[in-house]
Amino acid sequence: MPALLTVRNLTIRFGGITALNDVSFDVAEGHITGLIGPNGAGKTTCFNCITRLYQPTSGEVLFKGEDLLRCVPQQIAGKRIARTFQNVALFDHMSVLENALVGYHTRFPGGLAAWGAETAATREAMDVLDRLGLAGIANRPAHGLPFGLRKNVELARALMVRPELLLLDEPAAGLSHDEVSALGDTIKRIARDFSTTVLMVEHHMALVMRISDHIVVLASGKTLADGPPDAVRANPAVIEAYLGAV
Amino acid sequence: MPRPNAGLLTRVAIAVAVIALLPWVVPSFLVFDLIYVASYAIAILGLIILTGMNGQISLGHGAFMALGGYVVAVLAHSAGWPYWIGVPLAAIASGVAGLLIGLVALRLAGVYLALATFSLAVATPSFLKHYKSITGGFDGMSLQPVQAPAGVPLSGQQWLYYVAWAVAGVVFLLSALLVRGQFGRALRALRDNPIAAVSFGVNPYFYKTAAFGWSAVLAGIAGGFYAIPTAYVSPDTFTSALSITLLIGAVLGGISTFWGALVGGIVVEFLPLVAQQINAAAPSVVYGVALILVMMFLPDGIVGGLLRLTYRFRRAPPQPALESSTPSAAPVTVGPQSRE
Ligand SMILES: Nc1ncnc2c1ncn2[C@@H]1O[C@H](COP(=O)(O)OP(=O)(O)OP(=O)(O)O)[C@@H](O)[C@H]1O
Ligand SMILES: [Mg+2]
């Protein structure tokens, strides 16, 4: 499989803290790649570098061969890269449908033609909401929804980008046991139906091991291991630094 | 393009009918007041878009009104240009100024932006006094009163009333078209969560500057229709209190829907008159009390309160997503956050 995303020698410092220290890994096209590691390992920081919210100190992030570090944050979605946030980041005073439609922002034609595209965008949004069980609450404001639904709204918004790369930051966090097992199927289904590559940060080991094709382990800002789930699970360094503690 | 629902069209039709009939049923001094209501409503609409939808707090829109009013006045006074040329030029001048201020505003968030814009409002009267040769300085400039065109059976005042409200109607319609769909969603997304909005491709520089520019266009037009009925402008016409009054009007009327601009315009024009009767010594106290009462009991402003009342009346649960897609008060921080 060719790499869709290549992270090479990525380093970022915040004052005295080196949050990422020479991190390199590939995300293969069509795969679900898990990004795991203890708290503070630098997983979210890595997402923030890829989506350009953070400016790395050095290194490269190549998406389909293009250097993302030359982009500004608002250009990332246009490259068909979408993400969710660890602390669910919705537009609280907008409806569920409107939240999803913001995901379509970069796909609107320019100028007055944007008005003409509204119907098609809304139809597509309703379809995505329907797939995630949100169609019935499309007109409800995002604030005040139960946590699990809020996370689904975030997912719907990201899917409206029609992403080629979908970055999920702890999709299972805060969900109930049943919700987590449903989530695993949802992510696999989404990856297939929307033919998107997934890079997923997750602490829920059972979920990661079940759905990932490939796993990257970070610890203290360094790449600790990188390989298929079975190899990672058996890796002594990983067990010592992370899995043993779970 | 999304179609407006039938209920909305009915309400708009009723509003248009009421506005068209009012001059024939109210005493003529009230017609004069209602011209100012149109002016205030246009300016407050700009604040509803800028502050209510986009989260940028401006305490300086009186300055854009001043610019608009003076463009109309100077052109009429010194060059004899008619108002129908002056008002569009006022809109353009104010819009350009708004874009420039909007660029500066990108670097300021919440209360800092409020303070910076307020300094604009404070500086305006002395600025106007200083450039005497253009502005007429302290004494201001007087203008020709408006006459109805030959053959139109209306008084000058009635004619001006209809022109002002027709312009208000056009401006409301254009604004509604502008914020329907992608543009309006981008404004509100930036207000609710700038980091997430940017991550989905919303360019904060473009949308925030555009919101500032458009709201200034509206304030410029409002300034024109503030100067024309008075037939006189002076630095005291556009004090810093005007800027505060506009924001109070927006909050009292209801910053979450365009109807709030209409109600806010009525409140701003008539509350001081009512306040005068309640307590002649301190009308601003009555203003303050009214503001506190509305904030306590009607967090969505008067329009929000009315909507809730009609829902209760119909015994139907409110559907917040339809009518109030913006929050009652704009969040104060819109600047970049350090994490995520
Ligand atoms: N904006 C920032 N300013 C300063 N330090 C930061 C910033 N963002 C992240 N860090 C630091 O970088 C390190 C990695 O943080 P990060 O959020 O990436 O961890 P994580 O792997 O996502 O952890 P968790 O599993 O808890 O979410 C931490 O020490 C964190 O404090
Ligand atoms: Mg994290």
Side-chain angles (χ1 to χ4, degrees):
Chain A
M1 288 272 182
L4 182 70
L5 181 80
T6 301
V7 172
R8 207 177 281 158
N9 310 114
L10 198 63
T11 299
I12 183 169
R13 292 193 196 89
F14 298 105
I17 303 170
T18 304
L20 292 175
N21 189 358
D22 206 23
V23 167
S24 300
F25 62 87
D26 279 351
V27 175
E29 187 165 358
H31 272 185
I32 296 178
T33 301
L35 182 61
I36 66 172
N39 292 112
K43 305 179 296 292
T44 299
T45 301
C46 190
F47 273 18
N48 286 344
C49 289
I50 296 168
T51 59
R52 303 300 294 113
L53 296 179
Y54 287 170
Q55 176 64 42
T57 315
S58 61
E60 272 183 331
V61 178
L62 301 175
F63 177 70
K64 298 201 285 189
E66 185 190 353
D67 189 1
L68 290 184
L69 299 187
R70 291 176 199 277
C71 298
V72 290
Q74 59 264 28
Q75 290 175 324
I76 295 299
K79 310 223 172 277
R80 305 282 167 128
I81 300 174
R83 69 174 292 180
T84 65
F85 292 85
Q86 186 170 350
N87 332 307
V88 184
L90 291 178
F91 309 118
D92 272 338
H93 300 282
M94 297 166 68
S95 71
V96 168
L97 174 62
E98 287 176 312
N99 269 271
L101 284 169
V102 175
Y104 197 89
H105 184 84
T106 57
R107 297 172 58 202
F108 276 103
L112 293 178
W115 275 316
E118 193 76 14
T119 314
T122 305
R123 196 180 308 125
E124 186 171 325
M126 287 309 295
D127 174 60
V128 170
L129 293 178
D130 193 36
R131 287 162 185 267
L132 293 171
L134 298 168
I137 56 165
N139 288 319
R140 290 257 299 272
H143 71 83
L145 291 179
F147 191 67
L149 290 182
R150 285 172 62 81
K151 296 199 97 159
N152 271 1
V153 175
E154 259 210 322
L155 195 52
R157 180 178 63 185
L159 289 174
M160 285 298 286
V161 174
R162 291 279 147 162
E164 290 176 39
L165 176 64
L166 178 61
L167 307 170
L168 304 175
D169 199 345
E170 304 203 10
L175 299 189
S176 70
H177 184 79
D178 291 346
E179 283 173 327
V180 171
S181 44
L183 178 70
D185 298 332
T186 305
I187 293 173
K188 290 191 84 152
R189 183 162 46 87
I190 280 170
R192 193 187 57 230
D193 292 357
F194 289 79
S195 42
T196 178
T197 302
V198 176
L199 177 61
M200 172 179 76
V201 169
E202 190 46 74
H203 282 294
H204 198 288
M205 273 315 119
L207 176 69
V208 176
M209 294 296 168
R210 176 157 76 88
I211 69 172
S212 301
D213 300 299
H214 191 90
I215 292 177
V216 177
V217 189
L218 287 185
S220 311
K222 293 204 173 101
T223 336
L224 191 66
D226 183 337
D230 291 335
V232 165
R233 200 189 336 233
N235 186 319
V238 176
I239 294 172
E240 189 187 339
Y242 184 44
L243 295 181
V246 175
Chain B
M1 201 182 122
R3 277 167 200 284
N5 59 19
L8 178 64
L9 290 179
T10 312
R11 283 191 291 274
V12 169
I14 292 172
V16 169
V18 169
I19 289 167
L21 292 176
L22 267 180
W24 307 101
V25 294
V26 301
S28 72
F29 71 91
L30 266 182
V31 174
F32 193 59
D33 287 329
L34 290 171
I35 299 171
Y36 289 112
V37 172
S39 162
Y40 284 131
I42 294 170
I44 291 173
L45 179 64
L47 282 182
I48 286 177
I49 293 169
L50 181 69
T51 307
M53 300 192 76
N54 197 216
Q56 301 192 71
I57 300 174
S58 171
L59 274 173
H61 265 47
F64 296 116
M65 279 185 75
L67 180 58
Y70 267 85
V71 165
V72 170
V74 169
L75 290 178
H77 190 84
S78 340
W81 288 21
Y83 298 141
W84 63 265
I85 297 178
V87 171
L89 289 178
I92 292 169
S94 182
V96 170
L99 287 176
L100 294 177
I101 303 291
L103 287 174
V104 178
L106 290 172
R107 305 188 152 271
L108 301 167
V111 77
Y112 297 101
L113 178 57
L115 283 175
T117 47
F118 188 57
S119 67
L120 209 63
V122 171
T124 298
S126 23
F127 183 85
L128 291 171
K129 282 172 202 161
H130 186 79
Y131 291 94
K132 288 188 196 65
S133 55
I134 305 170
T135 64
F138 196 81
D139 298 327
M141 282 173 287
S142 45
L143 304 172
Q144 292 292 322
V146 170
Q147 306 287 330
V152 176
L154 294 173
S155 70
Q157 196 184 55
Q158 287 171 324
W159 171 248
L160 182 56
Y161 171 94
Y162 282 116
V163 172
W165 279 103
V167 168
V170 169
V171 155
F172 269 68
L173 183 67
L174 284 179
S175 298
L177 291 175
L178 182 68
V179 304
R180 259 186 121 74
Q182 186 193 24
F183 192 92
R185 272 194 306 271
L187 294 188
R188 288 178 290 133
L190 284 167
R191 170 203 66 198
D192 277 6
N193 197 320
I195 300 291
V198 167
S199 299
F200 284 91
V202 177
N203 184 339
Y205 309 108
F206 174 78
Y207 285 98
K208 291 175 79 170
T209 313
F212 222 108
W214 181 246
S215 75
V217 165
L218 299 193
I221 295 171
F225 280 100
Y226 200 69
I228 296 169
T230 326
Y232 172 68
V233 289
S234 79
D236 290 337
T237 315
F238 303 100
T239 61
S240 57
L242 175 62
S243 293
I244 299 177
T245 303
L246 292 176
L247 192 59
I248 291 178
V251 173
L252 287 180
I255 209 155
S256 48
T257 78
F258 281 12
W259 296 105
L262 214 52
V263 175
I266 294 169
V267 169
V268 166
E269 176 61 20
F270 292 106
L271 190 61
L273 306 179
V274 176
Q276 209 86 45
Q277 285 168 0
I278 297 174
N279 184 341
S284 60
V285 173
V286 177
Y287 235 117
V289 170
L291 186 63
I292 291 168
L293 286 177
V294 167
M295 298 284 251
M296 277 173 67
F297 297 108
L298 301 170
D300 302 329
I302 294 169
V303 171
L306 285 175
L307 281 173
R308 242 177 299 154
L309 207 71
T310 57
Y311 286 129
R312 193 171 305 173
F313 185 65
R314 290 194 217 135
R315 288 169 187 249
Q319 287 197 312
L322 295 180
E323 198 74 40
S324 67
S325 47
T326 49
S328 50
V332 173
T333 48
V334 290
Q337 294 153 16
S338 57
R339 297 199 60 191
E340 285 210 338

